[in-house]
């Protein structure tokens, strides 16, 4: 049981390049989330998904797109990277059962630098 | 809107000292409250939680009580260890989508 995994762990992009971050969970969780972590700002929600084929915007969605084609995977895309997107990105997943949200389980993070 | 405010760090303590990290929140309704811990180079782990007023969450010697009257959820530990050195995040969860709102994090460094 690997929990939540993220690929890649580190990446350096040039301004204007694109990339996709992959999040995978093996806990059969319905909900998945993408956060970014910046110094002094805690974690902020980018997008989330309440189930396969669904996505919704979080607090800071601009410049990002997401897809959830399979229940276990949640992809975060940057179409045209900007230096302001330099951050550490965390994926999380949680169960939703009988009207109650379970705790969120976090991946180890992806450190992205945009030059 | 909903928000979480934590005391600023870094906090540096000697081993076996008493720890308090303050957390206050602003929210409509009755959110659930959480403390997460992030060890160096790792993701966040749930430390403890409380889902209603006057609940006390506890784990690994850490405690926090959900105080609705003061909108607070302060983290305490009676005797810290070097292994407690980490960043601690207070968070609230409201029902729509189970989303979490985090405070800015407080870095704790414990010296032997």
């Amino acid at each position: 049981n690997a929990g939540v995994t993220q690929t890649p762990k580190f990446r350096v992009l040039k301004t204007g390049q694109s990339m996709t971050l992959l999040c995978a969970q093996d806990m059969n969780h319905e909900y998945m989330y993408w956060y970014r972590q910046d110094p002094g700002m805690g974690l902020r929600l980018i997008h989330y998904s309440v189930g396969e084929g669904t996505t919704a915007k979080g607090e800071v969605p601009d410049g990002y797109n997401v897809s959830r084609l399979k229940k276990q995977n949640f992809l975060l895309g940057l179409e045209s990277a900007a230096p302001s997107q330099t951050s550490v990105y965390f994926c999380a997943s949680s169960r939703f059962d009988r009207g109650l949200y379970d705790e969120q389980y976090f991946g180890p993070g992806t450190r992205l630098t945009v030059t | 809107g909903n928000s979480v405010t934590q005391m600023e760090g870094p906090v540096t303590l000697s081993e076996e000292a008493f720890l308090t990290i303050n957390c206050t929140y602003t929210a409509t309704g009755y959110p659930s409250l959480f403390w997460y811990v992030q060890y160096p180079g790792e993701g966040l782990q749930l430390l403890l939680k409380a889902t209603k007023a006057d609940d006390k969450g506890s784990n690994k010697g850490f405690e926090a009580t959900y105080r609705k009257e003061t909108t607070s959820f302060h983290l305490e530990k009676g005797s810290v260890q070097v292994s407690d050195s980490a960043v601690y995040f207070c968070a609230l969860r409201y029902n729509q989508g189970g989303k979490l709102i985090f405070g800015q994090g407080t870095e704790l460094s414990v010296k032997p």
Side-chain angles (χ1 to χ4, degrees), chain B residues 49-66:
Chain B
K49 67 180 180 182
T51 57
K52 61 182 186 296
D54 299 324
D55 267 2
K56 177 186 282 189
S58 61
N59 186 25
K60 300 181 181 179
F62 291 90
E63 293 183 340
T65 301
Y66 189 163

Side-chain angles (χ1 to χ4, degrees), chain B residues 3-93:
Chain B
S3 66
V4 176
T5 302
Q6 291 180 233
M7 65 184 286
E8 293 205 11
V11 174
T12 302
L13 295 174
S14 297
E15 207 164 22
E16 299 184 0
F18 185 85
L19 169 71
T20 299
I21 300 178
N22 290 338
C23 171
T24 57
Y25 68 90
T26 302
T28 54
Y30 303 96
S32 296
L33 300 174
F34 302 82
W35 277 100
Y36 279 83
V37 59
Q38 183 181 30
Y39 298 104
E42 298 184 8
L44 279 70
Q45 303 173 25
L46 179 65
L47 181 60
L48 54 84
K49 67 180 180 182
T51 57
K52 61 182 186 296
D54 299 324
D55 267 2
K56 177 186 282 189
S58 61
N59 186 25
K60 300 181 181 179
F62 291 90
E63 293 183 340
T65 301
Y66 189 163
R67 301 282 188 205
K68 188 171 184 298
E69 63 275 13
T70 55
T71 62
S72 65
F73 192 55
H74 304 322
L75 182 68
E76 297 182 336
K77 187 176 185 183
S79 176
V80 294
Q81 305 299 313
V82 172
S83 58
D84 294 326
S85 298
V87 181
Y88 293 82
F89 292 93
C90 184
L92 69 83
R93 183 180 70 197

